[in-house]
Amino acid sequence: MNELEMVRDLLKEPPPPAPAAAAGALGRLEREMTGRGRRVTRTPPRSRRLRRLTPRLLPRRTRGRRWMLGTGLLAATAAATAAVITVTSLTAGGGGPASRRPAVRPAELSARSTLLAAAESTSRTATGHGPYWLTDEVQGWIMMVRGPAGPYVVEQRKGLRQWVGTGGRPSWGADRDLGARPQRPADMAAWRKAGSPSRWPLPHSSNSWTTRPSRWKTAKAPVPLSFANGSVAHLRRLPADPARLRAYFLGMPQHGHEGTISDARWLYESVYELFSEPAPANVRAAAYRMLAQEPGIRDAGTVVDPLGRPGRAVALPESGPPSFEHRLIVDTATGRLLAEETVQLRPTAGPGDDLAESAAPAGTILSYRAMRQAVWTPTAP
């Protein structure tokens, strides 16, 4: 069973419609997606020197508490997805009205089908409640290291746990270094040729990364939620309509960024934050459907996330001549959002540049956040 058949089965769709109905559905989808006058925020060209990993030991913080998709369009999307096989066959054959209609690119359809399947799965999950909302997350980021066999990539990892108390209960936070390591097999080989060092000094800093993990450090800490007014009650009242949820996200201030980022990038980050908080199932499903309507998202295939879990990735290239892209990895069977990561598409460091992230080989994961669990729990540390 292919992805489109899976979505049709999950959505309990009837058999494919007649060719005329299929062409009409696809036409409505195209008009909806191109006729809204979507506000586009241009991202300024990214510096060739990506985020410096010098004295800063903690990964980037996007917003809120973390350290470091209207109804008519949805119906048209579902109908067009169910009808795509018929429309494609008419276009290829050169007959009928569909032959003059621009075909939706297969990669976009595949990304939408992934997100719609995840939306259907997550809509069936229970919301739940409890005294503490626990998130257990692993974050990672990299630096380039010089070795006798050439530069190689070292990945630093950090574990983060947070217990958000409800009903006046205190909140808690805990973190630990999980140790640094060469990221890929080629990096491992270069590391061995360098004598298998266990410590790497950070440029322009007295700090260093080490292969040895640290102990957990736990303390009471105010941990506000990222959305609404920071309360679970308001979080449960977020819009469950994809269009209204999109407008809500775009109306939030873009904290944690230098300059303005694109709408699609902000939506990507907002969805990850939403899934790390106790949002209702219908709001989470709306978030997936919102992204399914967003142009520019491509399918990145079946992947393994930073914690070794299989999932399906959808990707958003950085604006301009892209040298890297942002990915969300989802489990379509359960609707879980497993991780978000930034992946190098091509190195951009030139002669004379300092050895930095921009020199990383294609395929390097520059940074990531992977959610081990996000659940209600009866106890805190």
Side-chain angles (χ1 to χ4, degrees):
M1 178 181 296
N2 62 31
E3 289 176 335
L4 299 175
E5 292 171 337
M6 178 183 68
V7 172
R8 187 163 58 241
D9 181 66
L10 284 170
L11 298 178
K12 302 297 187 294
E13 290 289 337
L26 185 57
R28 291 195 302 274
L29 173 61
E30 291 169 349
R31 288 192 296 273
E32 288 277 3
M33 294 189 70
T34 60
R36 288 192 169 192
R38 189 177 78 90
R39 177 175 65 87
V40 177
T41 303
R42 296 292 181 185
T43 304
R46 186 176 177 96
S47 169
R48 290 172 60 182
R49 287 176 173 83
L50 302 183
R51 292 171 288 105
R52 284 285 190 181
L53 298 174
T54 39
R56 183 179 58 183
L57 297 180
L58 290 180
R60 61 182 171 83
R61 169 74 171 82
T62 54
R63 69 169 158 298
R65 63 195 179 89
R66 202 72 46 207
W67 278 298
M68 200 96 190
L69 296 154
T71 305
L73 178 55
L74 179 60
T77 303
T81 302
V84 65
I85 297 175
T86 303
V87 174
T88 303
S89 64
L90 285 173
T91 304
S99 64
R100 296 185 293 275
R101 191 180 308 281
V104 178
R105 289 180 294 178
E108 292 180 342
L109 281 171
S110 182
R112 285 200 293 271
S113 66
T114 294
L115 291 164
L116 290 175
E120 177 62 21
S121 295
T122 199
S123 67
R124 298 194 296 265
T125 61
T127 300
H129 58 85
Y132 295 95
W133 176 251
L134 167 65
T135 58
D136 185 354
E137 184 181 61
V138 175
Q139 296 185 358
W141 59 105
I142 67 118
M143 73 173 172
M144 296 293 294
V145 175
R146 297 189 187 278
Y152 61 97
V153 177
V154 174
E155 173 188 308
Q156 170 73 335
R157 299 165 298 151
K158 193 174 193 69
L160 301 170
R161 292 175 181 168
Q162 294 179 331
W163 293 259
V164 180
T166 63
R169 298 177 180 87
S171 296
W172 297 75
D175 69 285
R176 66 177 295 205
D177 288 329
L178 298 175
R181 64 186 182 186
Q183 189 179 81
R184 301 192 299 176
D187 304 313
M188 184 70 70
W191 171 69
R192 290 196 178 104
K193 289 182 179 180
S196 304
S198 61
R199 185 177 298 273
W200 299 271
L202 289 169
H204 315 293
S205 172
S206 60
N207 296 306
S208 61
W209 288 354
T210 175
T211 56
R212 298 181 62 180
S214 67
R215 296 179 180 273
W216 283 103
K217 300 175 183 177
T218 305
K220 286 185 180 180
V223 188
L225 299 175
S226 298
F227 301 100
N229 67 350
S231 73
V232 174
H234 280 245
L235 186 66
R236 293 183 183 277
R237 292 199 290 270
L238 287 179
D241 171 77
R244 291 177 55 211
L245 187 62
R246 183 180 188 277
Y248 174 82
F249 285 149
L250 294 180
M252 295 179 64
Q254 294 185 358
H255 296 310
H257 288 280
E258 297 179 3
T260 303
I261 64 173
S262 68
D263 288 354
R265 168 79 183 281
W266 185 247
L267 293 174
Y268 250 52
E269 293 192 359
S270 298
V271 169
Y272 183 88
E273 294 292 339
L274 182 74
F275 272 76
S276 68
E277 299 191 348
N282 58 346
V283 176
R284 294 180 178 219
Y288 278 138
R289 293 177 178 125
M290 173 193 71
L291 286 183
Q293 299 170 13
E294 200 67 23
I297 296 175
R298 73 173 188 88
D299 175 69
T302 300
V303 300
V304 175
D305 84 341
L307 302 183
R309 301 169 297 186
R312 192 80 182 179
V314 293
L316 175 71
E318 187 71 3
S319 58
S323 61
F324 57 94
E325 67 182 7
H326 309 282
R327 295 180 181 175
L328 291 179
I329 303 175
V330 303
D331 181 343
T332 56
T334 64
R336 286 186 64 192
L337 202 166
L338 302 176
E340 68 95 10
E341 58 188 24
T342 300
V343 181
Q344 186 87 314
L345 299 179
R346 59 183 179 85
T348 59
D353 280 358
D354 290 341
L355 196 61
E357 288 179 339
S358 54
T364 300
I365 299 175
L366 301 176
S367 64
Y368 64 83
R369 295 183 293 171
M371 190 64 64
R372 290 185 184 274
Q373 60 177 343
V375 296
W376 288 108
T377 181
T379 59

